[in-house]
């Protein structure tokens, strides 16, 4: 054999064993991290805080490679939503608030430097209820005690509009950034002093619709600052009314039902507050007033009220024309003059009157099945109050609890 041929042969012979190794000295494929278990939040834990700390066992790597972790958390039984990855420790403190009264599932994946993964088992837990301790924001706000007013959130402020106090109907407008300190935007807006009106935020404006100033109203007003108000129309085509509801849905203002001397179940909509169209003159739900309406899960919802008897039915619609019954008898007592909001991906019904004043709070994720958050919130039982969502809290403002009030409460 020629010398240079022999040299190549020897080189190839020595190289073959080295090339046959996959990265481990014994020729095995690189192994993923070893099995490990979750520690906390413990499986099936209840009343868990909204910013929990998670921890798990260390996952050893057979080759001694560095291991990082990926935390997955959501409301599915096999969670797929990545909360954080490349975690170098065996713990993680959540920084984004979870939803109240919600069941979550979580697991962790251990990842070695070659990208091999080992998943932990999956734990579930349920977050706490609303915090009902020490929730009084202010006992006597700067605005006079009142009922049958409206509240909205606009320009990162809470607004209180009109209503009725011991002196009669009001057309003052107040705002606050913290619920404690209130400023007067105007003591007399150009719209007539009134109660039982509707107010919404649409097109970067506050809107006041209808109500009662001694007579039912069907005027529509708007403001870009809460101080200066303009008349959209003095007489919308829907009949003058009170006890109606207004919502924003599908980039339109909607006015639903109410009382114009007789109870109504008509539905109207507008894109500018001036020109109104009739969706239906007779929705599937019974004619009613002092009900509530909200937007949730891409539907319009109508809840309770009075059709000369108190109601606890729940209806929904995608177009304002066709309405479907979610339940004819929700778990909460039939009532009117309650409030309804959407908070933490749930519909909430708060207080009202079922023949007696109420301070219970109920919630639902589908409009059909309702659960009791509390039978007795710390605020006095009341109706004709207002409720908004602001600063990740439910706010309950003023109302009638045997007398007009001007207290402000917040719950998270």
């Amino acid at each position: 054999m020629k010398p240079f041929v022999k040299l190549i042969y020897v080189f190839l012979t020595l190289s073959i064993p080295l090339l046959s190794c996959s990265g481990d000295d014994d020729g095995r494929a690189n192994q993923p991290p070893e099995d490990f278990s979750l520690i906390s939040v413990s499986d099936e834990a209840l009343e868990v805080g909204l910013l929990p700390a998670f921890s798990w066992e260390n996952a050893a790597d057979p080759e001694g490679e560095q291991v990082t972790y990926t935390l997955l958390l959501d409301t599915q039984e096999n969670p797929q939503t990545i909360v954080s990855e490349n975690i170098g420790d065996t713990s993680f403190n959540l920084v984004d608030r979870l939803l109240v009264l919600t069941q979550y599932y979580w697991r962790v994946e251990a990842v070695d430097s070659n990208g091999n993964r080992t998943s932990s088992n999956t734990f579930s837990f349920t977050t706490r209820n609303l915090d009902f301790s020490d929730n009084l924001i202010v006992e006597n706000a700067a605005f006079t005690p009142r009922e049958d007013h409206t509240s909205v959130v606009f320009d990162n402020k809470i607004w209180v509009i009109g209503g009725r106090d011991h002196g009669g109907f009001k057309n003052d407008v107040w705002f606050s950034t913290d619920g404690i300190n209130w400023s007067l935007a105007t003591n007399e807006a150009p719209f007539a002093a009134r109660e039982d009106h509707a107010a919404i935020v649409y097109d970067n404006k506050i809107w006041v619709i209808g109500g009662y100033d001694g007579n039912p109203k069907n005027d529509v007003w708007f403001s870009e600052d809460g101080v200066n108000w303009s008349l959209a129309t003095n007489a919308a085509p829907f009949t003058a009314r009170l006890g109606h509801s207004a919502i924003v849905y599908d980039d339109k203002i909607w006015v639903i039902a109410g009382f114009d001397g007789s109870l109504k179940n008509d539905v109207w909509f507008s894109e500018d507050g001036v020109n109104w169209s009739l969706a239906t003159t007779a929705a599937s739900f019974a004619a009613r007033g002092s009900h509530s309406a909200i937007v949730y899960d891409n539907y319009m919802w109508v809840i309770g009220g009075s059709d000369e008897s108190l109601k606890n039915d729940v209806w929904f619609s995608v177009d304002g024309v066709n309405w479907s019954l979610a339940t004819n008898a929700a778990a909460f007592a039939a009532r009117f003059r309650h409030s309804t909001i959407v908070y933490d991906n749930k519909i909430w019904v708060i207080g009202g009157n079922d023949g007696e004043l109420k301070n219970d709070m109920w919630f639902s994720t589908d409009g059909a099945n309702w659960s009791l958050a509390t039978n007795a919130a710390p605020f006095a039982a009341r109706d004709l109050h207002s409720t908004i969502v602001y600063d990740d809290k439910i706010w309950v403002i003023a109302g009638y609890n045997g007398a007009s009030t001007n207290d402000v409460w917040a719950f998270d």
Side-chain angles (χ1 to χ4, degrees), residues 170-194:
K170 305 294 292 182
N171 58 348
D172 53 350
V173 180
W174 295 78
F175 66 90
S176 175
T177 58
D178 60 10
I180 301 171
N181 303 288
W182 291 83
S183 300
L184 181 64
T186 178
N187 194 47
E188 292 188 22
F191 55 80
R194 67 191 62 197

Side-chain angles (χ1 to χ4, degrees), residues 18 52 56 88 102-103 135 142 160 173 179 219 242 267 385 396 403 411:
L18 295 174
W56 52 90
T102 301
Q103 185 172 28
N135 304 107
V160 168
V173 180
D219 52 351
L242 61 149
V267 180
H385 53 288
V396 175
F411 306 91

Side-chain angles (χ1 to χ4, degrees), residues 83-341:
V83 173
S84 184
E85 51 190 344
N86 297 318
I87 303 170
D89 199 357
T90 56
S91 63
F92 182 82
N93 293 327
L94 204 64
V95 294
D96 293 325
R97 173 186 176 279
L98 299 180
L99 308 180
V100 298
L101 295 165
T102 301
Q103 185 172 28
Y104 285 94
Y105 298 85
W106 72 288
R107 63 186 177 92
V108 172
E109 291 181 349
V111 187
D112 68 18
S113 56
N114 279 283
N116 297 311
R117 293 174 177 268
T118 298
S119 181
S120 71
N121 50 346
T122 298
F123 279 3
S124 70
F125 64 90
T126 302
T127 51
R128 65 166 173 80
N129 201 343
L130 292 173
D131 180 4
F132 292 114
S133 61
D134 192 24
N135 304 107
L136 178 64
I137 302 301
V138 62
E139 187 171 4
N140 294 292
F143 55 82
T144 56
R146 66 191 58 203
E147 60 202 72
D148 229 353
H149 55 288
T150 53
S151 295
V152 297
V153 175
F154 175 73
D155 190 30
N156 295 317
K157 303 176 182 70
I158 308 168
W159 297 77
V160 168
I161 304 169
R164 183 178 72 247
D165 68 6
H166 63 278
F169 303 125
K170 305 294 292 182
N171 58 348
D172 53 350
V173 180
W174 295 78
F175 66 90
S176 175
T177 58
D178 60 10
I180 301 171
N181 303 288
W182 291 83
S183 300
L184 181 64
T186 178
N187 194 47
E188 292 188 22
F191 55 80
R194 67 191 62 197
E195 64 173 345
D196 222 354
H197 51 289
I200 50 94
V201 172
Y202 173 73
D203 191 29
N204 295 317
K205 303 174 183 70
I206 306 173
W207 297 74
V208 168
I209 303 171
Y212 183 75
D213 68 350
N215 293 293
K217 308 290 291 183
N218 59 347
D219 52 351
V220 180
W221 295 78
F222 65 90
S223 174
E224 295 182 351
D225 58 11
V227 178
N228 302 287
W229 291 82
S230 300
L231 180 65
T233 178
N234 195 48
F238 53 82
T239 55
R241 65 189 60 195
L242 61 149
H244 53 293
S245 58
I247 56 174
V248 176
Y249 176 78
D250 190 29
D251 292 324
K252 303 174 182 68
I253 306 171
W254 297 76
V255 168
I256 302 172
F259 181 77
D260 67 356
S262 62
L263 292 168
K264 310 294 290 184
N265 58 347
D266 53 351
V267 180
W268 296 79
F269 64 91
S270 173
E271 294 182 354
D272 59 11
V274 179
N275 303 286
W276 292 81
S277 300
L278 179 65
T280 180
T281 189
S284 303
F285 54 81
R288 67 191 61 200
S290 298
H291 54 288
S292 62
I294 47 91
V295 175
Y296 172 74
D297 194 28
N298 296 317
Y299 293 99
M300 294 183 278
W301 297 78
V302 167
I303 301 174
S306 173
D307 68 351
E308 297 184 353
S309 63
L310 299 181
K311 308 292 290 181
N312 59 347
D313 53 350
V314 180
W315 296 78
F316 63 95
S317 174
V318 72
D319 59 11
V321 178
N322 304 287
W323 291 82
S324 300
L325 181 65
T327 178
N328 194 48
F332 54 81
R335 67 191 61 198
F336 70 153
R337 299 176 177 175
H338 54 285
S339 64
T340 300
I341 47 90

